[in-house]
Amino acid sequence: MASLTTQPSKKSLRTPAGSDGSQRSSSGQTVKFARRTSSGRYVSLSRDDLDMSGELSGDYMNYTVHIPPTPDNQPMDTSVAAKAEEQYVSNSLFTGGFNSVTRAHLMDKVIESEVSHPQMAGAKGSACSMPACDGKVMKDERGADVIPCECRFKICRDCYMDAQKDTGLCPGCKEVYKVGDNEEDPLDYSSGTLQLPAPDGSKRDPKNMSMMKRNQTGEFDHNRWLFETKGTYGVGNAFWPQEDMYDDDEEGFKGGMMESMDKPWKPLSRKLPIPAGIISPYRLLILVRFVVLCFFLHWRLRHPNEDAVWLWLMSVVCETWFAFSWLLDQIPKLCPINRSTDLEVLRDKFDMPSPSNPTGRSDLPGTDLFVSTADPEKEPPLVTACTILSILSVDYPVEKIACYVSDDGGALLTFEAMAEAASFADLWVPFCRKHDIEPRNPESYFSLKVDPTKNKSRLDFVKDRRRVKREFDEFKVRINGLPDSIRRRSEAFNAREEMKMLKHVRESGADPMEPIKVQKATWMADGTHWPGTWTAPSSEHSKGDHAGILQVMLKPPSSDPLMGGADDKIIDFSDVDIRLPMFVYVSREKRPGYDHNKKAGAMNALVRASAILSNGPFILNLDCDHYIYNCKAIREGMCFMMDRGGENICYIQFPQRFEGIDPSDRYANHNTVFFDGNMRALDGIQGPVYVGTGCMFRRFALYGFDPPKPDKITQSTETEMQTLKPNDFDPELDVNQLPKRFGNSTLLAESIPIAEYHGRPLADHTAVKYGRPPGILRVPRDPLDPAAVAESVSVISCWYEDKTEWGDRVGWIYGSVTEDVVTGYRMHNRGWHSVYCITKRDAFRGSAPINLTDRLHQVLRWATGSVEIFFSRNNPVLASRNLKFLQRMAYLNVGIYPFTSIFLIVYCFLPALSLLSGHFIVQTLSVAFLIYLLIITICLISLAILEVKWSGIGLEEWWRNEQFWLISGTSAHLAAVLQGLLKVIAGIEISFTLTSKSAGEDIDDIYADLYLVKWTSLMIPPIVIAMVNIIAMAVAFSRTVYSTVPQWSKFVGGAFFSFWVLAHLYPFAKGLMGRRGKTPTIVFVWSGLIAITLSLLWIAINPPAASTNDTTSTGGTSGGFTFP
């Protein structure tokens, strides 16, 4: 990765200074290496430290990670040494944390199964030829042994380092190692062009061996020779202009062929406005309905119901709030837009070979993908593993992708499941590339009910698919068998420890009758303790108390494609790139007494760790059950980030799409009205809100900086990277105060300007005032070194965020259940814009709860977060001027909508109260009232039809959304308001949990959860509303039929609104019925008890008077209740 021109490179930054021979990260964390023996003990890897065993606790020995590059120790800078360090890092499990040494545990074995891919942790070469050494030879990208000497003497990394340190001679041939003969030095790409040799040899690079290489057919590649040598073939030569031929002041275009200027400039994305025939009537109807509502409310205030003022007053208050709530929801929908992307233009600009880039190395910026999981029991490891596989096989330059999985539970089950996924990716990822597979989640792909051979041209597809399907079935068996495998392994090792302890007791002469206490540890595949959470929790090994863990499952790939062969795997991968993206397992440190801030804290830990390891300018976060359904999704988002004006975009939000939803979508799980309507409308203002998953962030925006202001930053005219410091982006930020904002990691602070620069769009147009020159991102990534990984472990420790601005200004924001909305709001409040990217093929797909109770609890969490936002400093009323007015209204609606439940519940009881009392909300059903009601209804229906037109949703989806709005509004939203008020006023935390559960009966039915009835207190208000309205309709109908002068107008008015309420509650009633009408007894008990209580209460308050005829016939008795 390129670094700032006036600053040392990342590699030099990580090289220790001083002569003490110890390697420390910038935070003072010492890295110690140890090798596990077959007995599980740790022995030193340094011969000089063998006599220090008594000075350290446990079995760990001091070993310096790097030997300082002194004049007598120059071989440390060779490519062999760098490869050795990188492979050593990828085979080590790093642990550390608060007041502890960062240790790297060399993993002899990561999983029970065999590891084959050379990038994966645990991959080993041949045995070392040194006497009494059990080490393994280093492997290159193809899996071949790395042999640093021409004599072909096989030597492991440790022996090689010792030989270099002692004599510098090869132990095999006793000759001096030739530094630099084994690999080409990385080329300088900072100027935008490849530095290639001249034909006359005056500027020839002696280490550039490309002239000696031939193409894949074995023939001499003339075109490549012309490009790389600027040579000629007599008449008709290929002319390359000299670097000083064009006196051009444009940054990034000096030297080389100016092929980017020869092509007409094309945008990467376009705005597609809604047709005027749809949006103009839509806006007009909004205005008409608003005016009619004003007149209607004025008429209601002028015509009270004198017979039932209480009923009239409640209805008017509720109707006024509904009008206000509708206005908040409708105003942000005035400017909806659509967008389109052009992937071909993106490919031409960034991926196409050219005279300055003959190999076609991509100039796209890097992207780090985050996947979060917390509990393998609630989030099955197989689901997470399939999500990881869909990420590793994404259609994006392999070297520009880095995947990070956050295991907030620190479970060994998740760790080994991720290792199994990395192992299976060796077969799955090249298979997807070879046959252009979609989707690239193997579980979803093999479950498709379509013809798999459709649009497949290769003759070996069916055979390859059959083999991969067999391997995937075995993969699932291994994943599902991991819990038993870990349990049996741990029991065996614990039994061995007990036997050792018993033997020790017998030998020491202690009392054999005294019980032996041995910790029930959880053991890894290599026979050592798991540093995370144990199955039987103990001190420093529980969910809330364990060390930080970081394992590079797949080390960074090589910069150039690595083509497979016919005999490498069970499938012929000839002409298929077999490289895998970088993959890292992270479990942040947790200790008692620290607030770990749930998912937001886990995301911020990944932000810091990834900034040091890969520092991708963009971050895409996904839930563990949301996988990449469209392999080109990242390219779609990059079309907006890399387009003109993309420097002002903080994130790209993709719509959430779900699988496994019942066909009728009973509880509006697809939520298409929000994702296709509201979010598309916000895209026309300042951008959609952040909804938690499927979002591509600009890393620089997550760091809490304001959007760039090109007019205030002096642009450099050189092709080299412009040197910018954090205070150039934030004038109020003192450089000396960086640790206060970002923590005390030097590598993290130095990565900020690099990420900002690499995330800029190309400066390929005069209108792009804040860009970067083409070609600077073709530089290969620096190899991993232990100091960087150790620094990553230190920044995921529980103490790192103390006295910093993480969670307050930087990263994901803390303090709310819905940290996603708050994080997006803070960015918009600083002036950033966001974009909504709807792709033709869904970008991501996930799962959603189809059970009524689970759905209500999901909505409860969202509504609780909204109430917290309303009562916090994140209330949009307090926002800055950077937040646009319509965007402010949208965020205000996010905080206010739960309070609508108070008025909604009252209004749902009004029809029943009207029917029971014999009064209506108006004195009489006058013509004016009916006309107002008709106009408002017609406007509502017309707006719904037009909204369906411009958003693309269906009428049935719109109606399902309306139904669940009332269901959630009378249950979860009300509970959220009560919970929020109690928290704000009294500081009381309450939670609504399940009180009874039943198991599903049909495991073969994918919709079995739909019929599962799990009682929760959230169901009480809707049940009461439904029962009261049904009873009220029955009572009112009987009273009207048997009355002397039937008043059908009042009954019809009340019955109409009661029917309106019951029609909205119909999905809720079906959910209570379960399968085949089996309803829990508690439902009938609650319903009957509450209905009888309300009926008796009403009779006691307002007993019905007997009619005159009845009084005469009963001898003058009056005032008693009589049945009709």
Side-chain angles (χ1 to χ4, degrees):
M1 181 176 294
S3 58
L4 301 181
T5 54
T6 59
Q7 297 177 351
S9 65
K10 185 187 292 185
K11 184 179 295 185
S12 63
L13 286 170
R14 296 171 186 167
T15 303
S19 59
D20 58 350
S22 63
Q23 174 73 31
R24 290 180 178 267
S25 63
S26 59
S27 59
Q29 290 287 325
T30 302
V31 188
K32 298 186 181 298
F33 273 88
R35 178 187 290 280
R36 285 187 177 88
T37 63
S38 58
S39 63
R41 292 180 58 83
Y42 293 88
V43 297
S44 172
L45 297 179
S46 174
R47 297 176 180 174
D48 297 335
D49 297 330
L50 290 177
D51 57 346
M52 298 176 60
S53 58
E55 301 178 10
L56 298 175
S57 61
D59 294 324
Y60 293 96
M61 296 293 114
N62 276 331
Y63 181 74
T64 56
V65 177
H66 277 182
I67 303 172
T70 56
D72 60 344
N73 190 33
Q74 288 300 319
M76 283 304 301
D77 289 333
T78 65
S79 58
V80 175
K83 283 186 177 181
E85 293 295 329
E86 185 176 48
Q87 184 165 357
Y88 210 61
V89 165
S90 65
N91 285 338
S92 300
L93 179 74
F94 283 76
T95 61
F98 181 61
N99 284 340
S100 62
V101 176
T102 300
R103 295 187 174 96
H105 315 288
L106 187 64
M107 301 285 289
D108 291 333
K109 194 175 184 182
V110 180
I111 53 177
E112 298 288 352
S113 56
E114 190 68 24
V115 173
S116 59
H117 199 281
Q119 287 181 238
M120 187 178 172
K124 299 179 178 66
S126 306
C128 179
S129 300
M130 291 291 290
C133 178
D134 61 350
K136 300 297 181 180
V137 178
M138 298 170 289
K139 300 175 72 174
D140 61 11
E141 292 82 1
R142 192 173 287 276
D145 293 338
V146 174
I147 303 175
C149 186
E150 295 178 354
C151 71
R152 313 299 293 173
F153 183 81
K154 295 183 178 181
I155 187 171
C156 67
R157 177 260 187 195
D158 302 323
C159 295
Y160 172 75
M161 304 294 277
D162 288 340
Q164 291 280 32
K165 179 180 179 181
D166 294 340
T167 63
L169 302 179
C170 172
C173 63
K174 308 303 181 182
E175 296 290 337
V176 178
Y177 280 116
K178 296 180 176 61
V179 180
D181 286 352
N182 300 284
E183 190 73 22
E184 302 174 24
D185 288 342
L187 302 177
D188 182 14
Y189 297 86
S190 59
S191 63
T193 60
L194 298 174
Q195 305 297 321
L196 302 174
D200 56 358
S202 59
K203 298 181 180 180
R204 186 184 303 275
D205 186 352
K207 299 175 184 177
N208 192 320
M209 307 296 292
S210 62
M211 289 298 301
M212 301 170 59
K213 297 179 181 178
R214 297 177 179 269
N215 58 19
Q216 295 182 358
T217 62
E219 299 177 355
F220 187 79
D221 194 335
H222 297 267
N223 292 331
R224 185 172 182 181
W225 185 87
L226 288 173
F227 285 146
E228 293 189 353
T229 65
K230 307 179 185 177
T232 65
Y233 276 140
V235 181
N237 61 307
F239 177 73
W240 193 300
Q242 300 297 322
E243 292 192 2
D244 56 351
M245 181 171 292
Y246 295 96
D247 187 14
D248 195 303
D249 293 332
E250 287 294 324
E251 182 177 345
F253 298 105
K254 291 184 179 181
M257 293 187 66
M258 303 173 62
E259 67 279 351
S260 58
M261 297 297 291
D262 296 337
K263 301 177 182 178
W265 184 86
K266 294 181 180 179
L268 296 172
S269 63
R270 298 179 185 273
K271 286 185 179 180
L272 304 177
I274 305 298
I278 297 177
I279 194 63
S280 296
Y282 182 76
R283 293 169 176 167
L284 179 62
L285 282 172
I286 293 176
L287 178 61
V288 170
R289 192 168 192 261
F290 173 72
V291 173
V292 173
L293 280 175
C294 292
F295 279 106
F296 173 71
L297 293 175
H298 179 264
W299 182 88
R300 293 278 282 121
L301 291 173
R302 294 288 301 274
H303 297 81
N305 186 354
E306 302 293 345
D307 298 334
V309 177
W310 57 274
L311 191 64
W312 166 82
L313 183 60
M314 285 193 299
S315 64
V316 169
V317 171
C318 292
E319 289 162 1
T320 304
W321 179 265
F322 293 151
F324 171 70
S325 178
W326 172 83
L327 197 62
L328 280 182
D329 181 68
Q330 204 67 49
I331 282 183
K333 295 182 180 180
L334 291 174
C335 308
I337 62 170
N338 293 316
R339 295 182 186 268
S340 66
T341 58
D342 196 331
L343 295 180
E344 287 299 323
V345 176
L346 183 77
R347 180 171 176 269
D348 290 342
K349 285 188 177 184
F350 294 93
D351 294 334
M352 289 296 291
S354 63
S356 63
N357 183 27
T359 59
R361 185 173 289 175
S362 176
D363 196 26
L364 284 168
T367 303
D368 296 336
L369 293 96
F370 295 170
V371 178
S372 59
T373 182
D375 190 346
E377 295 181 0
K378 297 180 180 179
E379 298 165 336
L382 181 60
V383 175
T384 307
C386 289
T387 299
I388 296 299
L389 289 170
S390 72
I391 292 175
L392 297 180
S393 55
V394 70
D395 183 6
Y396 200 76
V398 184
E399 68 276 10
K400 303 300 180 73
I401 290 291
C403 178
Y404 296 82
V405 60
S406 169
D407 178 18
D408 228 24
L412 178 60
L413 175 57
T414 304
F415 176 83
E416 294 198 0
M418 297 302 100
E420 290 284 359
S423 179
F424 181 68
D426 183 25
L427 178 66
W428 173 253
V429 173
F431 169 71
C432 292
R433 293 172 183 161
K434 178 180 179 180
H435 296 291
D436 195 19
I437 300 299
E438 287 281 15
R440 299 191 174 182
N441 177 328
E443 182 70 26
S444 299
Y445 172 71
F446 290 118
S447 300
L448 293 177
K449 305 299 182 182
V450 297
D451 181 11
T453 62
K454 186 178 180 181
N455 298 327
K456 297 296 182 291
S457 58
R458 288 181 178 261
L459 298 178
D460 56 352
F461 168 72
V462 175
K463 180 181 65 175
D464 290 352
R465 185 181 186 275
R466 188 179 298 115
R467 291 177 176 176
V468 174
K469 177 66 166 61
R470 183 174 61 250
E471 293 294 327
F472 178 64
D473 290 339
E474 296 178 0
F475 167 75
K476 290 197 295 184
V477 171
R478 292 196 301 270
I479 292 288
N480 294 328
L482 281 177
D484 288 338
S485 175
I486 294 173
R487 177 182 55 80
R488 289 194 301 267
R489 180 202 310 152
S490 299
E491 290 175 353
F493 279 112
N494 287 329
R496 187 193 68 177
E497 293 299 312
E498 290 182 5
M499 295 297 294
K500 287 183 178 180
M501 185 69 70
L502 182 61
K503 182 179 178 181
H504 177 73
V505 169
R506 291 174 178 174
E507 293 176 351
S508 62
D511 185 6
M513 301 302 295
E514 185 177 349
I516 300 175
K517 296 181 180 180
V518 178
Q519 285 185 324
K520 299 297 182 181
T522 300
W523 295 74
M524 291 190 288
D526 66 339
T528 56
H529 285 178
W530 168 243
T533 303
W534 288 354
T535 305
S538 65
S539 177
E540 298 187 355
H541 292 286
S542 61
K543 286 187 177 181
D545 183 13
H546 62 79
I549 308 170
L550 191 147
Q551 170 74 62
V552 180
M553 294 286 186
L554 293 171
K555 65 181 180 181
S558 58
S559 301
D560 295 314
L562 184 64
M563 299 303 171
D567 301 327
D568 293 343
K569 312 292 179 185
I570 62 174
I571 295 177
D572 182 5
F573 286 140
S574 300
D575 301 330
V576 178
D577 191 356
I578 62 173
R579 293 177 301 163
L580 298 178
M582 179 181 176
F583 178 35
V584 182
Y585 169 90
V586 178
S587 181
R588 59 181 174 142
E589 181 192 21
K590 287 189 173 182
R591 298 300 180 191
Y594 285 87
D595 186 1
H596 300 105
N597 298 296
K598 300 179 181 178
K599 180 182 176 181
M603 289 292 100
N604 285 339
L606 289 185
V607 171
R608 297 190 294 271
S610 63
I612 296 172
L613 294 179
S614 54
N615 199 28
F618 300 101
I619 295 173
L620 175 62
N621 81 294
L622 295 171
D623 289 342
C624 64
D625 60 342
H626 272 71
Y627 67 92
I628 297 180
Y629 188 73
N630 181 354
C631 67
K632 298 183 183 297
I634 301 180
R635 291 182 179 271
E636 296 267 6
M638 210 58 70
C639 286
F640 298 104
M641 291 294 193
M642 294 291 102
D643 204 4
R644 182 175 57 184
E647 68 275 5
N648 293 317
I649 299 175
C650 56
Y651 61 82
I652 308 291
Q653 179 64 62
F654 295 86
Q656 293 184 17
R657 307 301 188 198
F658 303 101
E659 295 177 334
I661 307 299
D662 55 296
S664 62
D665 193 13
R666 180 186 294 177
Y667 306 122
N669 284 279
H670 285 300
N671 212 359
T672 52
V673 173
F674 174 76
F675 286 115
D676 291 342
N678 297 58
M679 297 284 275
R680 197 190 303 256
L682 290 177
D683 197 17
I685 309 172
Q686 200 170 343
V689 298
Y690 168 42
V691 293
T693 183
C695 186
M696 179 188 290
F697 283 97
R698 182 181 298 275
R699 183 184 288 270
F700 184 70
L702 271 176
Y703 286 148
F705 291 102
D706 294 339
K709 299 177 176 59
D711 298 336
K712 296 184 179 180
I713 299 179
T714 305
Q715 291 290 324
S716 173
T717 58
E718 300 179 0
T719 59
E720 295 288 331
M721 175 186 294
Q722 181 185 356
T723 303
L724 294 177
K725 299 178 181 179
N727 58 343
D728 292 328
F729 312 114
D730 187 356
E732 300 178 359
L733 177 64
D734 186 0
V735 177
N736 298 324
Q737 298 297 320
L738 278 177
K740 182 179 180 181
R741 176 175 292 189
F742 299 102
N744 60 357
S745 172
T746 304
L747 293 182
L748 175 61
E750 291 170 346
S751 71
I752 296 174
I754 298 175
E756 185 278 331
Y757 189 81
H758 289 181
R760 297 183 189 179
L762 284 183
D764 58 351
H765 192 274
T766 55
V768 179
K769 298 181 180 180
Y770 199 80
R772 60 173 175 85
I776 66 165
L777 298 187
R778 297 173 191 154
V779 60
R781 181 183 302 188
D782 286 341
L784 290 178
D785 60 75
V789 183
E791 184 83 350
S792 300
V793 175
S794 70
V795 299
I796 63 174
S797 59
C798 58
W799 55 267
Y800 186 82
E801 294 183 353
D802 289 353
K803 299 180 181 179
T804 67
E805 296 186 12
W806 285 98
D808 180 46
R809 178 188 176 98
V810 182
W812 271 259
I813 306 301
Y814 301 154
S816 175
V817 178
T818 52
E819 73 286 336
D820 45 7
V821 177
V822 177
T823 301
Y825 164 76
R826 290 288 187 89
M827 294 182 183
H828 285 143
N829 195 33
R830 287 194 290 269
W832 290 94
H833 286 69
S834 58
V835 167
Y836 197 52
C837 181
I838 300 180
T839 56
K840 293 181 179 179
R841 177 183 176 87
D842 295 343
F844 311 101
R845 282 194 178 180
S847 59
I850 62 174
N851 178 264
L852 174 60
T853 303
D854 296 337
R855 178 76 165 122
L856 289 178
H857 279 84
Q858 181 189 53
V859 174
L860 170 63
R861 184 177 64 84
W862 295 344
T864 302
S866 295
V867 175
E868 291 175 349
I869 291 173
F870 182 80
F871 287 111
S872 69
R873 59 173 179 164
N874 297 311
N875 192 313
V877 175
L878 308 176
S880 67
R881 294 181 179 180
N882 293 325
L883 195 67
K884 295 184 178 180
F885 174 75
L886 294 182
Q887 194 79 14
R888 190 187 302 261
M889 293 297 101
Y891 275 112
L892 187 62
N893 186 45
V894 169
I896 283 180
Y897 82 88
F899 295 95
T900 304
S901 60
I902 301 174
F903 304 92
L904 184 60
I905 287 182
V906 173
Y907 208 72
C908 287
F909 277 113
L910 286 183
L913 296 176
S914 175
L915 291 171
L916 292 174
S917 64
H919 300 288
F920 195 48
I921 58 177
V922 293
Q923 188 79 29
T924 58
L925 290 177
S926 63
V927 176
F929 175 78
L930 294 177
I931 290 177
Y932 279 127
L933 191 62
L934 179 63
I935 295 176
I936 292 173
T937 305
I938 292 176
C939 288
L940 177 64
I941 295 174
S942 302
L943 283 172
I945 294 174
L946 290 175
E947 190 168 329
V948 164
K949 285 286 187 180
W950 63 256
S951 64
I953 61 178
L955 274 175
E956 183 180 3
E957 294 172 324
W958 179 87
W959 170 238
R960 288 286 183 235
N961 182 80
E962 292 295 310
Q963 287 180 310
F964 194 75
W965 169 77
L966 190 140
I967 295 171
S968 59
T970 55
S971 57
H973 293 176
L974 178 65
V977 171
L978 295 177
Q979 186 172 348
L981 291 176
L982 286 175
K983 181 178 179 180
V984 172
I985 297 175
I988 300 175
E989 292 277 359
I990 62 173
S991 60
F992 296 84
T993 58
L994 303 178
T995 56
S996 66
K997 294 183 180 180
S998 60
E1001 299 175 359
D1002 189 0
I1003 59 176
D1004 296 329
D1005 187 0
I1006 61 175
Y1007 305 125
D1009 283 348
L1010 183 67
Y1011 310 106
L1012 194 63
V1013 180
K1014 298 182 288 187
W1015 174 254
T1016 173
S1017 55
L1018 297 177
M1019 294 180 177
I1020 296 177
I1023 291 176
V1024 173
I1025 291 173
M1027 296 301 297
V1028 168
N1029 276 276
I1030 292 174
I1031 294 174
M1033 289 180 67
V1035 170
F1037 179 77
S1038 301
R1039 178 186 298 166
T1040 304
V1041 168
Y1042 289 99
S1043 63
T1044 306
V1045 183
Q1047 297 183 353
W1048 290 103
S1049 61
K1050 292 185 177 181
F1051 170 76
V1052 170
F1056 172 79
F1057 286 105
S1058 289
F1059 178 78
W1060 177 84
V1061 173
L1062 295 175
H1064 281 73
L1065 290 175
Y1066 176 69
F1068 177 81
K1070 289 188 66 176
L1072 290 181
M1073 294 299 111
R1075 189 191 295 274
R1076 293 183 294 275
K1078 291 186 177 181
T1079 307
T1081 307
I1082 187 65
V1083 175
F1084 295 107
V1085 173
W1086 273 98
S1087 303
L1089 181 62
I1090 294 175
I1092 293 173
T1093 303
L1094 291 176
S1095 300
L1096 293 177
L1097 181 63
W1098 176 255
I1099 292 173
I1101 295 175
N1102 187 18
S1107 61
T1108 305
N1109 295 334
D1110 293 339
T1111 302
T1112 304
S1113 63
T1114 56
T1117 304
S1118 62
F1121 175 75
T1122 57
F1123 287 98

